[in-house]
C-alpha cells in the first residue's frame, strides 16, 4: 500500500521537508510554534505499529526537531504527543509552549480558533528546513 497524507493534516499544515522516515510539517496556526512529524508509512496508527528500526528513526527525528525547536524558539516547555483521536494516521505533534501563550497551561487543542500563519513565515520555515539535512 502507498502512503497518503491524511486530508486533515494536508488541510491544516504546510509541508516543510522530508527526512528519512517523516514528512516535517508546520501547523497553520501562528499562535504556537507547532510542528508535526508524519512517518511516510502506509496505514500506521500507532508508534508500536512501526518496525523497530522505524521506531528508532522516529525517535531520532523527534529528538532532532526538539533540539531545533529549543534553539529556535527558547520555549518554557516542549509538548510532544502522538494523540490521533481525530486523525488516526500516525503523526507526532511538537509544540514550543510559553507561559505567555493563549492556552497556557492547558492543551492547545480546541481552546481557540486557529490563526493562519503569514505566508512570509511559511516561506521562511520552508527555506530554513530546505537547508537542514538529517
Amino acid at each position: 500500500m502507498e502512503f497518503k497524507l491524511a486530508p486533515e493534516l494536508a488541510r491544516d499544515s504546510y509541508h516543510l521537508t522530508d527526512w528519512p522516515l517523516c514528512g516535517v510539517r508546520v501547523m497553520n496556526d501562528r499562535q504556537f510554534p507547532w510542528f508535526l512529524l508524519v512517518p511516510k508509512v502506509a496505514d500506521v496508527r500507532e508508534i508500536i505499529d512501526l518496525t523497530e528500526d522505524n521506531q528508532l528513526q522516529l525517535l531520532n527525528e523527534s529528538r532532532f526537531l526538539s533540539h531545533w525547536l529549543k534553539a529556535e524558539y527558547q520555549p518554557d516547555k516542549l509538548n510532544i504527543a502522538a494523540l490521533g483521536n481525530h486523525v488516526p494516521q500516525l503523526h507526532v505533534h511538537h509544540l514550543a509552549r510559553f507561559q505567555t501563550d493563549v492556552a497556557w497551561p492547558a492543551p492547545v487543542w480546541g481552546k481557540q480558533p486557529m490563526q493562519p500563519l503569514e505566508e512570509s513565515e511559511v516561506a521562511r520555515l520552508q527555506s530554513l528546513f530546505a537547508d537542514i539535512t538529517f
Side-chain angles (χ1 to χ4, degrees):
M1 224 173 192
E2 185 178 325
F3 169 78
K4 290 185 180 184
L5 183 66
E8 301 90 343
L9 297 179
R11 178 193 67 217
D12 293 342
S13 65
Y14 291 97
H15 178 264
L16 299 178
T17 194
D18 286 307
W19 287 344
L21 178 66
C22 296
V24 182
R25 305 185 66 85
V26 62
M27 289 296 288
N28 188 18
D29 190 348
R30 69 175 177 258
Q31 298 171 98
F32 312 98
W34 185 351
F35 295 78
L36 303 175
L37 291 179
V38 184
K40 299 172 288 185
V41 179
D43 293 327
V44 174
R45 297 175 72 122
E46 308 293 344
I47 292 171
I48 59 170
D49 295 338
L50 294 169
T51 66
E52 186 175 337
D53 286 345
N54 280 347
Q55 288 178 44
L56 293 172
Q57 184 64 33
L58 176 59
L59 180 61
N60 286 332
E61 293 179 17
S62 177
R63 181 177 59 232
F64 188 90
L65 179 57
S66 297
H67 281 294
W68 181 85
L69 281 167
K70 282 184 73 174
E72 181 73 13
Y73 296 101
Q74 300 172 353
D76 295 315
K77 181 73 175 96
L78 286 178
N79 291 173
I80 301 170
L83 301 174
N85 296 342
H86 291 282
V87 180
Q89 180 177 54
L90 178 59
H91 59 289
V92 182
H93 297 266
H94 291 69
L95 287 101
R97 298 294 308 273
F98 301 89
Q99 292 180 7
T100 57
D101 75 42
V102 296
W104 184 270
V108 300
W109 292 273
K111 295 297 178 186
Q112 61 282 320
M114 293 173 69
Q115 296 182 12
L117 289 167
E118 299 289 333
E119 287 182 26
S120 60
E121 178 62 4
V122 175
R124 181 187 81 82
L125 290 168
Q126 287 171 331
S127 178
L128 270 173
F129 276 83
D131 293 335
I132 295 174
T133 54
F134 189 90

